């Protein structure tokens, strides 16, 4: 039986979503996030060297590293081979789901409607990414979807910042919240790892009951 995302995250409720153009940033970024108290991170496959970033961050050992913005089965295979412990997609693709099932890693497809959520459930998925969360109505949409599907867990992502974090995490249906604000490409361009640690520590504090 494949592990679920809740098993892999082991209680972590903040999921930093990272776009890392330069693999040289990977290890100091992992160190900065771990120093700030993060226990997991999602590396998006939006850059040519995302695979190398996943590998370097996973080798750090202080974080549970997953891969995001996975659009194809081939990307999923590369990500898992590089050390990704879970896979996140912006949408629901049956081939990506099947590949992750074969690889034995949790996959979190993106959904924005009840129809997409029902497709995920038919595929055996009960943890989904609500995306883009704020653009499609935020907490009101999350609550509306959670009501008829009480056993589903959500990972809302998209437009969520530190001021909205506690509100999402207060919802019983929310497993974790994804956000890019603790470690943006601008932070990485400046080499501002101390700033990443501070923002991460603040977010971890906000996400801890």
């Amino acid at each position: 039986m494949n592990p679920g995302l809740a098993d892999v995250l082991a209680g972590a409720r903040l999921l930093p979503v990272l776009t890392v153009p330069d693999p040289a940033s990977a290890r100091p970024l992992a160190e900065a996030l771990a120093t700030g108290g993060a226990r997991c991170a999602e590396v998006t496959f939006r850059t040519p060297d995302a695979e190398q970033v996943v590998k370097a961050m996973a080798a750090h050992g202080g974080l549970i590293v997953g891969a995001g913005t996975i659009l194809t089965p081939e990307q999923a295979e590369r990500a898992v081979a590089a050390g990704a412990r879970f896979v996140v997609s912006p949408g629901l693709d049956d081939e990506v789901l099947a590949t992750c099932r074969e690889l034995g890693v949790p996959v979190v497809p993106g959904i924005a409607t009840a129809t997409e959520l029902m497709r995920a459930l038919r595929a055996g998925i009960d943890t989904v990414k609500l995306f883009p969360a704020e653009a499609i109505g935020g907490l009101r949409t999350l609550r509306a979807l959670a009501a008829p599907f009480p056993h589903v867990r959500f990972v809302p992502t998209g437009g969520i910042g530190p001021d909205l974090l506690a509100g999402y995490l207060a919802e019983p249906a929310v497993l974790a919240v994804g956000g890019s604000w603790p470690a943006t490409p601008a932070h990485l361009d400046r080499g501002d790892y101390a700033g990443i640690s501070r923002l991460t520590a603040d977010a971890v504090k906000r996400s801890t009951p």
Side-chain angles (χ1 to χ4, degrees):
M1 184 175 184
N2 289 358
L5 184 66
D7 300 316
V8 172
L9 296 187
R13 305 200 70 201
L14 172 71
L15 180 60
V17 179
L18 313 171
T19 300
V20 187
D22 184 357
S25 302
R27 287 191 67 85
L29 172 58
E31 183 65 33
L33 291 168
T35 297
R39 290 189 284 161
C40 59
E42 172 190 329
V43 176
T44 67
F45 264 55
R46 298 180 185 179
T47 63
D49 295 318
E51 194 173 350
Q52 287 71 35
V53 174
V54 169
K55 186 174 183 178
M57 293 189 70
H60 175 269
L63 295 171
I64 300 161
V65 180
T69 321
I70 296 298
L71 306 179
T72 67
E74 185 266 342
Q75 284 182 324
E77 291 171 353
R78 285 168 42 211
V80 173
R85 301 267 310 275
F86 60 92
V87 167
V88 183
S89 179
L92 197 161
D93 183 276
D94 291 331
E95 292 185 5
V96 170
L97 300 186
T99 296
C100 291
R101 188 176 295 113
E102 291 171 4
L103 293 170
V105 296
V107 56
V108 187
I111 66 98
T113 67
T115 299
E116 292 168 331
L117 180 49
M118 290 174 70
R119 280 187 57 206
L121 289 169
R122 283 197 298 273
I125 303 294
D126 61 7
T127 299
V128 296
K129 171 179 176 174
L130 183 67
F131 180 80
E134 281 295 292
I136 60 172
L139 285 170
R140 291 179 62 187
T141 297
L142 189 149
R143 291 167 183 152
L145 287 172
F149 303 101
H151 57 296
V152 172
R153 305 297 298 279
F154 295 86
V155 182
T157 308
I160 300 173
D163 293 340
L164 299 175
L165 180 61
Y168 276 97
L169 289 176
E171 295 296 319
V174 171
L175 174 66
V177 172
S180 60
W181 79 91
T184 67
H187 287 112
L188 296 176
D189 285 344
R190 298 192 303 268
D192 186 10
Y193 299 107
I196 290 171
S197 290
R198 286 194 300 272
L199 288 170
T200 301
D202 176 71
V204 168
K205 183 178 179 180
R206 291 172 185 262
S207 65
T208 303

